[in-house]
Amino acid sequence: MKNNLFTSESVTEGHPDKLCDQISDAVLDAYLKKDPNARVACEVCAGKKNVMVMGEITSTAEVDIESIVRKKICEIGYDNDELGFNGNNINIILDISKQSADIALGVDRMGAGDQGMMFGYATLEIESCLMPAAIYFAHELTKQLAKVRKEGMIAYLRPDGKAQVTVKYEEGKLKGIDTILISTQHDEGVDINKIREDLIEKVIKVVIPEQYLNDEVKILVNPTGNFVIGGPIGDSGLTGRKIIVDTYGGYAPHGGGAFSGKDATKVDRSGAYYARYVAKNLVASGVCDKCQIQVAYAIGVEEPVSINIDTFGTGKISDEKILAIVNQVFDFRPRNILEELNLRKPIFGRTASYGHFGNNEYSWEKLNKVEQIKELI
């Protein structure tokens, strides 16, 4: 065991990449609302005065994608020309076709919609949600940053922003926070000292537990001193470019497949959700303190080609025995995941900001297998 620092980041809903994720999932939800069997793979890129929506969609539903794009951009906060990016008048380019017949064949057989590997992770670090500490605190900071902007508590804030938290470990145990970094877009002419004071009082102190805030914690606010130009005007955005923000903040590997804009027949999304579901129930059962699960699929094949368990030496029984329990309790076939986690509903828009994991309201966060696991330990 070693003493070390670990850092994770989160971004606000006004970040250009997150804006694209939210548009993708808003389009997905619009189709699922009318057609639960819709197959959607929708990606978005945004920059300057343009938004492009592209991908493959097969559905019986008719959806006004352009109005969805404009509404979502305005909801995020880009609703006037002063910001340089205005959902009311940006140029929207649509390039949508139907799902490939070859891919559809595999899904029709209720097999995986593609090959690939996905990871799930859970840890006792933050007991309320079984998430790693650094990504948990980073998400809480960006959520609060958005809240104080939307509620007018800090009136000069603009939609784009980031937070980064560095935590410290001693002998493998969480001991505190080393550094907190927040970068936030703001109106022209606001003094950096005012921004720092407001963010410490109304964001950092509200979110970070008192026991983690002391004179040794380094706090960085807008290190460049100015952040007026932001959003898609400052940097282009793209769906799926914040996959580490979306998952575990770097605490676990990532298979590479993004989530947003994909219906749940895509195992990039549903497989990762199910792996989290399994890992979380295992940790909550007491069989281990930390758990990482890898699952892999072949296109058109129902059963996973592999499932791997790693409890990092925290297991009360061997990882091999835990895997045997997993095989008894859980069913990784795509058709089961869709049914068990109820993933044909328009529920995905809210996942597109502040992480896909750790919100106990989501079906893949439920701890409904704990007693079954305990009976088999």
Side-chain angles (χ1 to χ4, degrees), residues 301-336:
V301 179
E302 279 198 290
E303 296 289 345
V305 299
S306 67
I307 301 172
N308 178 270
I309 305 281
D310 188 352
T311 62
F312 307 93
T314 69
K316 308 305 184 287
I317 57 178
S318 70
D319 289 356
E320 291 76 14
K321 289 181 179 178
I322 294 175
L323 179 57
I325 291 173
V326 167
N327 286 327
Q328 281 185 260
V329 176
F330 298 96
D331 182 350
F332 281 84
R333 292 177 301 165
R335 74 169 75 193
N336 174 71

Side-chain angles (χ1 to χ4, degrees), residues 105-367:
L105 184 62
V107 180
D108 289 341
R109 294 172 177 167
M110 294 307 295
D114 200 354
Q115 69 178 50
M117 63 279 194
M118 304 87 218
F119 290 86
Y121 184 82
T123 173
L124 286 174
E125 274 184 25
I126 303 295
E127 291 193 22
S128 62
C129 59
L130 302 185
M131 286 290 285
I135 188 65
Y136 171 79
F137 287 133
H139 283 324
E140 292 300 303
L141 288 170
T142 52
K143 281 190 278 189
Q144 180 67 10
L145 190 58
K147 180 180 179 180
V148 298
R149 171 179 65 87
K150 290 179 175 181
E151 295 183 359
M153 296 168 61
I154 306 180
Y156 56 78
L157 293 183
R158 292 182 174 183
D160 198 357
K162 293 183 174 183
Q164 186 170 285
V165 176
T166 301
V167 296
K168 50 188 175 183
Y169 294 91
E170 293 180 9
E171 298 299 316
K173 300 292 185 181
L174 178 67
K175 287 299 179 182
I177 292 176
D178 181 84
T179 305
I180 298 170
L181 165 62
I182 300 182
S183 294
T184 182
Q185 189 185 14
H186 57 84
D187 290 344
E188 186 78 61
V190 184
D191 182 73
I192 182 61
N193 293 316
K194 171 65 173 171
I195 298 172
R196 177 182 171 84
E197 178 184 335
D198 284 345
L199 263 58
I200 289 175
E201 292 300 319
K202 298 178 182 179
V203 178
I204 294 174
K205 287 185 177 179
V206 171
V207 165
I208 304 298
E210 192 174 346
Q211 70 263 31
Y212 291 124
L213 285 177
N214 55 55
D215 293 339
E216 295 181 1
V217 177
K218 297 182 280 292
I219 297 177
L220 304 174
V221 174
N222 284 20
T224 62
N226 205 49
F227 187 1
V228 174
I229 301 169
I233 291 296
D235 192 9
S236 61
L238 185 66
T239 299
R241 202 156 54 184
K242 285 291 175 283
I243 56 177
I244 301 303
V245 171
D246 286 342
T247 52
Y248 307 101
Y251 279 85
H254 197 294
F259 302 153
S260 290
K262 296 175 181 176
D263 74 90
T265 65
K266 281 74 172 173
V267 285
D268 280 342
R269 187 168 213 158
S270 55
Y273 285 4
Y274 203 72
R276 161 66 176 173
Y277 174 58
V278 176
K280 188 176 181 184
N281 274 271
L282 287 171
V283 171
S285 75
V287 73
C288 55
D289 296 339
K290 186 189 301 185
C291 182
Q292 175 182 291
I293 294 178
Q294 186 209 50
V295 58
Y297 292 93
I299 188 169
V301 179
E302 279 198 290
E303 296 289 345
V305 299
S306 67
I307 301 172
N308 178 270
I309 305 281
D310 188 352
T311 62
F312 307 93
T314 69
K316 308 305 184 287
I317 57 178
S318 70
D319 289 356
E320 291 76 14
K321 289 181 179 178
I322 294 175
L323 179 57
I325 291 173
V326 167
N327 286 327
Q328 281 185 260
V329 176
F330 298 96
D331 182 350
F332 281 84
R333 292 177 301 165
R335 74 169 75 193
N336 174 71
I337 296 173
L338 285 166
E339 294 172 4
E340 188 174 352
L341 300 186
N342 204 10
L343 297 180
R344 291 196 185 275
K345 292 188 174 182
I347 58 171
F348 299 105
R350 57 183 177 158
T351 69
S353 299
Y354 314 117
H356 292 247
F357 307 118
N359 183 333
N360 291 329
E361 295 180 2
Y362 298 155
S363 62
W364 51 94
E365 296 289 322
K366 301 298 183 186
L367 297 176

